[in-house]
Amino acid sequence: MKISYQWLKDYCNHNLSVNELSEGLTNVGLVVDTSTPIGDDYCLDVEVTSNRPDCLGIMGIAREVAAIVHGKFVVPDVDYDTTDENIEGATHVTIEEKDLCSRYTARIIRGVTIAPSPEWLQRRLQVIGLRPVNNVVDITNYVLMECGQPLHAFDLDRLEEKRVVVRCASNGEALVAIDGSKCTFTSDLLVIADSKKPVAVAGIMGGKETEVAEVTKDIFLESAFFEPRNVRKSSRKLGIASDSSFRFERHVDPECVDWASRRAAKMIQEIAGGKILKGVIDSNFIKQKKKSVSLRTSKLNNLLGIHLDKSEIKKILERLCFTIISETEESLEVEVPSFRGDVYREIDLVEEVARIHGYKNIPAISNIGVKLNRENKFDRVVVKAKSILSGMGYHEVVTDSIVENTQDKYAGIWSENNSIRIINPIRQDEALLRKTIIHNLLKVKKHNQNHGIDFTHIYELSKVYLGQKNGELPEEKECLCILGEEGFLPLKGIVETILLNLNINQALESVPYRSDLFTSEKSAELKLGDQAFGYMGELRKEVVHNYDFRNTPCITELDFNMLVNLANFKNSYHKAPSFPAIVRDLAVIASEETRWADIKRCIVSLKVNYLDAIEFFDVYKGKQIEQDKKSVAFRLIFRAGDRTLRSDEVDVYQETILENLKNSLGIKLRT
Amino acid sequence: MQEQLVDLQNQAKNDLAKAKSLKEIEEVRTSYLGRKGALNNIMKRIPGLSPEQKALIGKLANKLKVEIDRDVEEAIKRLDLTSEVPLVMKGEKTTAQDTGGVFDLTLPGKRKPYGHLHPITQTINEIKRIFCMLGFAVEYGPEVEQEYYNFDALNVPQEHPSREDFDTFYLDNKLLLRSQTSTVQIRIMEKKKPPVRMIAPGKVFRPDTVDARHASMFHQIEGLMVDEEVSFRDLKFVLTSFSEIYFGQDIKMRFRPSFFPFTEPSAEVDISCSICNAKGCSVCSYSGWVEVLGAGMVDPNVFEAVGYDPEKYTGFAFGLGVERLTMLRYGIDDIRLFFENDIRFLSQF
Ligand SMILES: [Zn+2]
């Protein structure tokens, strides 16, 4: 809301400089965004929060200034002389929609001379960014900006039968508005009509045909209260907004309706000549009672953490035009002025006092004391997992949960349900909540590749959004998605490292998994124990091609909450072995189908004495190896807890193991 | 000759198995792989062979060299397990005895890759750390929400503009993407009796057209403290303490009245602009102040919604924008950088 520094002085006498004024207003909640010098005046741009429509007029802001400086608030005089002619004979007003228009006033000024406004009036409007039109239109704008009550002046002679009907439009009725926009109405829109046709969109804009022009002699001056929601709805629907609709939407002061009408009529008579007809048409259906609210001083002081005595509180409220009706030792009964629709509870009065007393005068001291928090295991696991990933050179990324519709295609890893769809997306082709992070990471890789970085080691820990049951919230699955460029096993190694360092004992199982994303060879569903844990695979050629990648990344997506649930931070210490181990490195020939898991299980199941660990080295297929066979190299580590093992003992165990591998899996030692 | 090579490998293995110190292992290595070693002796005979033989033996010899090298390394590892000899650093030739050679000390060090946490995570972590010192627990809530938690329970009137579809993303079945983390306040208060002291970081969504200052997804941190006799003074203390730690003691904090449906009295909180020392610059729109968070005393209607007695309990809530704080802190001028995830950007934090 733009205000003029000089104009403001009409209503309150203050000696504040522009900077002091700006600071003062900001401190009571009316932030002054900018102050721009214009001639000998300044235009201040004041941010008015939606709860304070009373400050959408310069007088409202002046009232606050008066409260700040302990000054006097001056309301302009609206008494005027009239002709003997009575308004009743000159026009007629019918309100068909009392709910949508709960007060409507009309005054008539006969015999005006339409001309440019006087210099001072034009200048004031220009300072706040309004373009002067003619004296009558300028006056309605002036009064609107002064008190926040929108007004409209019709050319009385152009109103069919010189009458006004406030009614809903018929479907298809139309109107060309003052700004030239053409409105076609539906039956839910409120219009101001004459006996035949709409002449204004109620509360939003007048029609071109009945606007005040040079030839205009008699003025029909409208000042009304239109229901806020309906004005907003109409404004949206028609796509037009104005200074009027802006204020009606935010609720004008019903008691100001008539005052504004008087003020404008008086100014028209003084500036544009003519005579005001006697009386007013005032259809008032508002049954507003005076509101009173009680305020306990103890409540106020406890909530703010200050010590104001009752008389100080009283003074502040009175400066804001509240009336103290009665009081007890402990509390005040406060009558709320009609323009403060936002105040109706004790807490609202507390806020008023706090504002004017000044937030800066509330000390920042406290004795809130210690509070112990229970450990947040989720956060703890997050920190650990991320630190492992950092240490391995993986960068964390953050990407959008809203994804392109095309991503639904490869997104079925956690759920076959359709993706959750946004009804009002910014772009129609980006309307889904992701069901996997994989595509986001691929896009990040693509972005980096476009900037010359071919190898991106990245991960994201975030939510995916799975199927939606009626009315219930969808499952939001916390997933850890990792993209690596070193192949399948190094990526699996990262997952293993995370499991190991979270002391998760459940074995990581990899089961073949068919997916449109991954190659048929390197694609696994991961399990922990027998619970589904996630997916891992090497990107399929077609996908690599679609993204135009220069190399083939591997990706895994894990159910992070399983890690959180299984992580164990209470593991106990194991003493490092004090006796040396005997290590045997073996290379065996096995059939190609034999999996490492089989070999390992076969060895473990023997429960050979002193076998401390089995470590895999590598698999080799090639010239020296028969077709359909492979060479598998691994290491057996034998160790006793209480003595040094002898080589010949270990020979026996090793023999047992080899024997068993031969018998159960047909595996031979490579020679 | 092939057989000789195989023998050589077996011999080497045996010798290595017997070696009991680094020195002995090194001796074994030189005797096979050194300039006058056994392998080289065999290699010297290659020129006299037929072309096929040349290729075959050459290949085998190379393979042998690799394998003996591996055995040597294994032997060293084993040594580490079984003796007191200190571990040798891998990857760089050690010079146990002074050879008088010249080592270029100015060569750059060899770096391991280090992964960075996303700046948004770092900001959240930092804020969590500070509020944890003040006794605030960290809580989380769902991102897909019911209107009740995003609006109704937070005292947002039915016709409030924030409910309109250009301010909130709607899904089917009257669900929405939360437009603020204040939803978590309600969920926690429904579950717990006072005292409550919590912060809730997380993603929020708004249908803003994406530009340098707007993203349709961003992060907020909500804070809430409820107990008997919690006052505006406590709110000022907590936020001022936070500011002193996060922004530093030279930064001033300003509380000014504002309006939010779920708090009353409400405040917007500014810090003095560190870029221009509060003298006015483009970052602070020449006001010397930068808005950093919104706060206020919890509105009694919110307490009613969660079944707290507003006569018995009072509390404050605050909410801050993670991207905004991060941008202020590092001088980042485009919010989109956070979601592009350019490694050259991420590596700077
Ligand atoms: Zn600045």
Side-chain angles (χ1 to χ4, degrees):
Chain A
M1 153 102 188
K2 291 194 170 74
I3 63 166
S4 140
Y5 174 71
Q6 297 295 355
W7 188 352
L8 187 72
K9 288 188 170 176
D10 283 9
Y11 317 101
C12 62
N13 237 328
H14 69 81
N15 304 315
L16 301 176
S17 69
V18 173
N19 283 339
E20 288 165 340
L21 179 67
S22 299
E23 198 187 326
L25 285 172
T26 300
N27 284 337
V28 296
L30 293 160
V31 179
V32 178
D33 282 335
T34 53
S35 54
T36 317
I38 296 175
D40 61 348
D41 200 352
Y42 289 87
C43 173
L44 307 189
D45 197 353
V46 184
E47 231 178 84
V48 179
T49 50
S50 64
N51 60 325
R52 293 299 304 274
D54 61 302
C55 288
L56 293 175
I58 293 174
M59 282 168 73
I61 290 173
R63 202 150 41 214
E64 297 278 312
V65 176
I68 298 168
V69 300
H70 301 243
K72 208 171 174 251
F73 174 57
V74 186
V75 180
D77 171 36
V78 290
D79 288 337
Y80 52 76
D81 294 328
T82 64
T83 55
D84 289 337
E85 186 189 350
N86 215 308
I87 189 165
E88 261 96 41
T91 187
H92 190 265
V93 173
T94 317
I95 313 290
E96 286 184 7
E97 302 291 338
K98 299 181 173 62
D99 290 340
L100 303 183
C101 172
S102 40
R103 188 169 186 187
Y104 194 98
T105 66
R107 282 190 166 76
I108 284 176
I109 305 103
R110 279 206 200 279
V112 297
T113 310
I114 303 302
S117 299
E119 189 85 351
W120 67 267
L121 178 52
Q122 291 198 23
R123 214 180 310 121
R124 281 195 169 178
L125 292 178
Q126 279 162 342
V127 167
I128 60 169
L130 293 181
R131 189 177 52 88
V133 181
N134 60 45
N135 45 16
V136 171
V137 172
D138 290 352
I139 287 164
T140 57
N141 283 334
Y142 183 90
V143 176
L144 161 67
M145 290 302 166
E146 178 178 57
C147 67
Q149 169 64 41
L151 299 162
H152 186 69
F154 294 99
D155 184 333
L156 182 65
D157 291 332
R158 295 189 177 229
L159 294 176
E160 201 77 35
E161 294 179 22
K162 296 190 188 341
R163 58 183 292 162
V164 156
V165 185
V166 182
R167 61 164 167 88
C168 281
S170 316
N171 269 325
E173 273 186 314
L175 173 81
V176 177
I178 286 175
D179 69 352
S181 55
K182 188 163 191 269
C183 312
T184 308
F185 300 112
T186 46
S187 62
D188 56 337
L189 299 179
L190 190 71
V191 295
I192 311 299
D194 57 20
S195 65
K196 271 194 173 153
K197 57 180 190 303
V199 292
V201 194
I204 303 175
M205 203 173 278
K208 191 132 196 117
E209 211 185 313
T210 52
E211 78 177 326
V212 174
E214 252 174 84
V215 295
T216 305
K217 290 279 165 264
D218 299 341
I219 301 290
F220 177 101
L221 183 67
E222 166 195 288
S223 178
F225 179 95
F226 295 110
E227 202 275 323
R229 260 167 299 189
N230 193 258
V231 173
R232 180 177 313 130
K233 199 184 72 187
S234 309
S235 162
R236 291 285 140 76
K237 209 159 175 179
L238 295 168
I240 45 174
S242 63
D243 285 331
S244 298
S245 65
F246 183 80
R247 284 166 179 78
F248 281 125
E249 281 178 30
R250 282 159 184 76
H251 204 286
V252 298
D253 173 14
E255 282 187 22
C256 187
V257 171
D258 186 55
W259 185 90
S261 171
R262 287 167 166 275
R263 169 75 166 151
K266 181 176 159 91
M267 281 180 77
I268 290 173
Q269 181 166 266
E270 282 168 5
I271 291 169
K275 278 284 170 205
I276 304 169
L277 300 199
K278 203 162 124 190
V280 60
I281 292 174
D282 186 355
S283 307
N284 190 353
F285 311 105
I286 294 172
K287 293 173 208 81
Q288 198 172 9
K289 282 186 298 195
K290 292 271 180 208
K291 271 183 301 183
S292 80
V293 179
S294 56
L295 172 65
R296 292 162 291 174
T297 51
S298 60
K299 180 76 188 173
L300 181 141
N301 282 323
N302 288 341
L303 195 85
L304 300 178
I306 51 176
H307 304 285
L308 285 183
D309 58 40
K310 204 174 60 180
S311 64
E312 287 171 290
I313 296 170
K314 257 171 79 172
K315 273 186 210 143
I316 288 176
L317 289 172
E318 280 167 348
R319 266 149 60 197
L320 287 168
C321 304
F322 290 85
T323 317
I324 311 299
I325 313 171
S326 64
E327 60 188 281
T328 67
E329 191 79 13
E330 241 306 288
S331 69
L332 299 168
E333 195 65 26
V334 182
E335 188 182 282
V336 181
S338 64
F339 51 82
R340 290 305 301 271
D342 60 315
V343 177
Y344 52 96
R345 304 174 298 173
E346 184 177 42
I347 191 72
D348 303 327
L349 291 173
V350 171
E351 180 176 55
E352 289 307 297
V353 176
R355 255 178 357 102
I356 303 300
H357 177 65
Y359 285 4
K360 68 169 185 291
N361 296 320
I362 299 173
I365 322 166
S366 171
N367 47 1
I368 59 173
V370 180
K371 185 171 176 290
L372 201 61
N373 292 313
R374 231 176 300 155
E375 164 194 85
N376 184 327
K377 193 178 177 194
F378 178 84
D379 278 359
R380 215 174 151 186
V381 174
V382 169
V383 167
K384 187 110 189 184
K386 286 185 178 178
S387 75
I388 291 169
L389 285 159
S390 284
M392 297 195 166
Y394 280 71
H395 294 287
E396 186 193 23
V397 303
V398 175
T399 61
D400 207 331
S401 301
I402 301 169
V403 296
E404 290 116 341
N405 303 355
T406 50
Q407 290 200 6
D408 220 12
K409 196 172 158 199
Y410 295 126
I413 67 169
W414 297 109
S415 149
E416 292 299 330
N417 291 345
N418 289 336
S419 298
I420 299 169
R421 184 173 283 275
I422 297 170
I423 294 171
N424 57 327
I426 301 173
R427 298 174 38 155
Q428 286 304 329
D429 57 348
E430 273 178 32
L432 302 184
L433 293 189
R434 65 180 173 196
K435 280 163 62 185
T436 170
I437 304 173
I438 290 176
H439 298 284
N440 297 70
L441 292 198
L442 292 177
K443 275 177 75 178
V444 171
K445 174 173 166 54
K446 177 74 180 174
H447 173 90
N448 280 287
Q449 183 180 287
N450 288 345
H451 292 84
I453 302 164
D454 281 350
F455 293 94
T456 37
H457 289 128
I458 47 174
Y459 72 92
E460 177 164 1
L461 173 59
S462 189
K463 283 172 168 180
V464 301
Y465 311 80
L466 307 178
Q468 198 176 358
K469 279 178 233 133
N470 266 1
E472 275 175 55
L473 295 182
E475 182 190 356
E476 295 180 12
K477 201 176 196 60
E478 197 78 36
C479 287
L480 175 59
C481 190
I482 315 173
L483 183 151
E485 312 265 20
E486 295 168 312
F488 188 92
L489 291 179
L491 186 59
K492 191 177 175 189
I494 289 171
V495 176
E496 288 168 353
T497 305
I498 292 171
L499 292 171
L500 189 69
N501 286 283
L502 292 171
N503 299 305
I504 294 175
N505 296 321
Q506 279 78 357
L508 178 70
E509 309 275 355
S510 310
V511 193
Y513 168 66
R514 280 184 56 84
S515 156
D516 294 340
L517 267 179
F518 302 140
T519 59
S520 55
E521 194 187 3
K522 294 180 183 168
S523 172
E525 181 180 0
L526 304 178
K527 293 184 167 184
L528 274 182
D530 49 7
Q531 273 181 284
F533 173 46
Y535 301 85
M536 182 181 296
E538 185 183 76
L539 220 57
R540 209 177 250 274
K541 255 206 190 72
E542 302 86 88
V543 186
V544 172
H545 187 78
N546 284 346
Y547 278 97
D548 203 13
F549 287 149
R550 287 195 279 265
N551 51 324
T552 306
C554 285
I555 294 197
T556 182
E557 187 159 284
L558 308 171
D559 179 344
F560 192 77
N561 271 320
M562 266 183 89
L563 294 180
V564 176
N565 293 335
L566 296 173
N568 176 15
F569 292 108
K570 290 174 188 142
N571 56 317
S572 49
Y573 159 76
H574 295 284
K575 195 165 182 277
S578 30
F579 293 92
I582 290 192
V583 172
R584 293 291 159 87
D585 293 343
L586 302 175
V588 297
I589 305 289
S591 70
E592 240 180 317
E593 302 78 55
T594 313
R595 305 177 312 155
W596 168 247
D598 304 327
I599 296 174
K600 192 172 173 187
R601 194 175 304 121
C602 177
I603 299 172
V604 171
S605 66
L606 286 173
K607 300 207 165 73
V608 170
N609 276 346
Y610 307 121
L611 180 60
D612 195 40
I614 310 166
E615 285 174 6
F616 170 80
F617 283 159
D618 60 11
V619 176
Y620 172 76
K621 282 184 246 183
K623 272 190 200 152
Q624 292 97 327
I625 312 294
E626 277 177 73
Q627 272 211 309
D628 307 333
K629 302 270 178 179
K630 59 185 175 187
S631 160
V632 182
F634 57 91
R635 164 176 290 183
L636 300 174
I637 299 170
F638 295 91
R639 193 197 303 276
D642 53 353
R643 64 188 174 89
T644 306
L645 286 177
R646 289 190 324 272
S647 192
D648 54 335
E649 305 176 70
V650 171
D651 289 345
V652 176
Y653 299 134
Q654 181 177 324
E655 207 42 53
T656 318
I657 289 169
L658 286 169
E659 190 66 24
N660 204 270
L661 283 174
K662 191 170 162 189
N663 294 340
S664 30
L665 296 170
I667 287 173
K668 292 180 302 190
L669 193 63
R670 185 178 169 190
T671 49
Chain B
M1 217 157 152
Q2 262 172 279
E3 277 158 33
Q4 278 180 357
L5 282 171
V6 175
D7 282 350
L8 210 60
Q9 181 172 12
N10 289 337
Q11 278 172 28
K13 254 203 167 88
N14 284 337
D15 288 354
L16 281 170
K18 284 179 215 146
K20 291 213 162 22
S21 70
L22 257 188
K23 201 176 161 224
E24 282 176 38
I25 290 173
E26 181 57 22
E27 274 167 20
V28 174
R29 201 187 70 83
T30 349
S31 72
Y32 288 94
L33 300 183
R35 208 181 305 160
K36 289 174 187 162
L39 184 62
N40 237 357
N41 284 337
I42 294 176
M43 299 285 273
K44 277 178 194 154
R45 285 153 54 193
I46 289 181
L49 298 173
S50 71
E52 299 94 69
Q53 284 273 315
K54 252 187 209 169
L56 180 68
I57 298 296
K59 219 183 239 173
L60 278 177
N62 272 334
K63 190 167 166 267
L64 181 63
K65 185 181 175 308
V66 172
E67 277 171 8
I68 292 179
D69 259 334
R70 198 188 78 185
D71 291 339
V72 166
E73 242 172 73
E74 299 296 333
I76 293 174
K77 271 193 211 158
R78 247 186 329 249
L79 204 60
D80 176 52
L81 292 170
T82 54
S83 73
E84 300 295 319
V85 178
L87 189 66
V88 182
M89 291 289 282
K90 267 186 74 183
E92 192 176 301
K93 289 270 181 297
T94 53
T95 44
Q97 69 272 48
D98 199 334
T99 58
V102 182
F103 180 72
D104 184 353
L105 297 168
T106 68
L107 289 174
K110 280 203 175 160
R111 300 182 201 177
K112 297 268 180 189
Y114 180 75
H116 292 253
L117 286 180
H118 197 282
I120 288 173
T121 304
Q122 296 197 32
T123 302
I124 292 175
N125 286 351
E126 173 74 356
I127 294 169
K128 273 189 201 168
R129 190 179 66 81
I130 296 169
F131 281 103
C132 284
M133 293 193 278
L134 293 161
F136 285 69
V138 179
E139 304 281 0
Y140 299 95
E143 291 164 18
V144 176
E145 266 293 8
Q146 295 158 1
E147 284 189 61
Y148 178 78
Y149 291 97
N150 202 66
F151 296 125
D152 304 354
L154 287 164
N155 196 36
V156 179
Q158 279 303 326
E159 66 275 17
H160 197 267
S162 67
R163 288 180 184 252
E164 296 201 26
D165 60 7
F166 51 81
D167 267 327
T168 302
F169 281 120
Y170 285 92
L171 313 170
D172 283 333
N173 297 319
K174 305 202 112 192
L175 297 179
L176 48 76
L177 286 173
R178 68 176 175 195
S179 57
Q180 52 199 12
T181 42
S182 312
T183 52
V184 188
Q185 277 185 35
I186 304 298
R187 290 195 171 268
I188 295 305
M189 286 193 282
E190 276 183 349
K191 273 196 300 203
K192 289 185 181 167
K193 289 266 145 294
V196 172
R197 245 187 252 188
M198 64 129 215
I199 58 167
K203 288 184 173 146
V204 298
F205 302 85
R206 287 184 200 170
D208 285 329
T209 305
V210 177
D211 61 25
R213 309 186 67 173
H214 300 91
S216 51
M217 180 192 87
F218 53 101
H219 296 74
Q220 284 188 337
I221 297 182
E222 184 76 10
L224 175 73
M225 174 168 173
V226 183
D227 203 345
E228 291 174 28
E229 291 176 0
V230 173
S231 72
F232 201 97
R233 226 165 87 157
D234 301 313
L235 166 67
K236 280 191 74 174
F237 166 77
V238 166
L239 291 181
T240 310
S241 308
F242 163 74
S243 167
E244 277 183 16
I245 303 171
Y246 189 81
F247 296 110
Q249 278 175 307
D250 303 338
I251 299 295
K252 282 199 287 279
M253 206 173 210
R254 175 175 83 172
F255 291 71
R256 56 185 165 77
S258 188
F259 172 68
F260 307 110
F262 31 90
T263 51
E264 183 150 353
S266 300
E268 250 163 333
V269 185
D270 306 325
I271 56 165
S272 54
C273 181
S274 58
I275 292 173
C276 61
N277 266 326
K279 293 196 170 62
C281 68
S282 64
V283 171
C284 57
S285 311
Y286 301 93
S287 69
W289 295 99
V290 185
E291 190 187 321
V292 287
L293 55 87
M297 302 306 292
V298 179
D299 194 287
N301 289 353
V302 174
F303 283 146
E304 304 265 0
V306 297
Y308 283 10
D309 178 0
E311 276 299 301
K312 185 166 177 202
Y313 297 111
T314 51
F316 62 77
F318 57 87
L320 45 87
V322 177
E323 279 79 358
R324 183 169 170 74
L325 287 195
T326 315
M327 289 168 87
L328 280 175
R329 177 118 178 210
Y330 297 104
I332 298 168
D333 55 3
D334 192 331
I335 195 171
R336 290 170 292 198
L337 289 168
F338 291 119
F339 308 108
E340 272 176 5
N341 297 291
D342 193 307
I343 303 284
R344 295 165 301 175
F345 172 78
L346 297 177
S347 312
Q348 293 180 38
F349 302 93

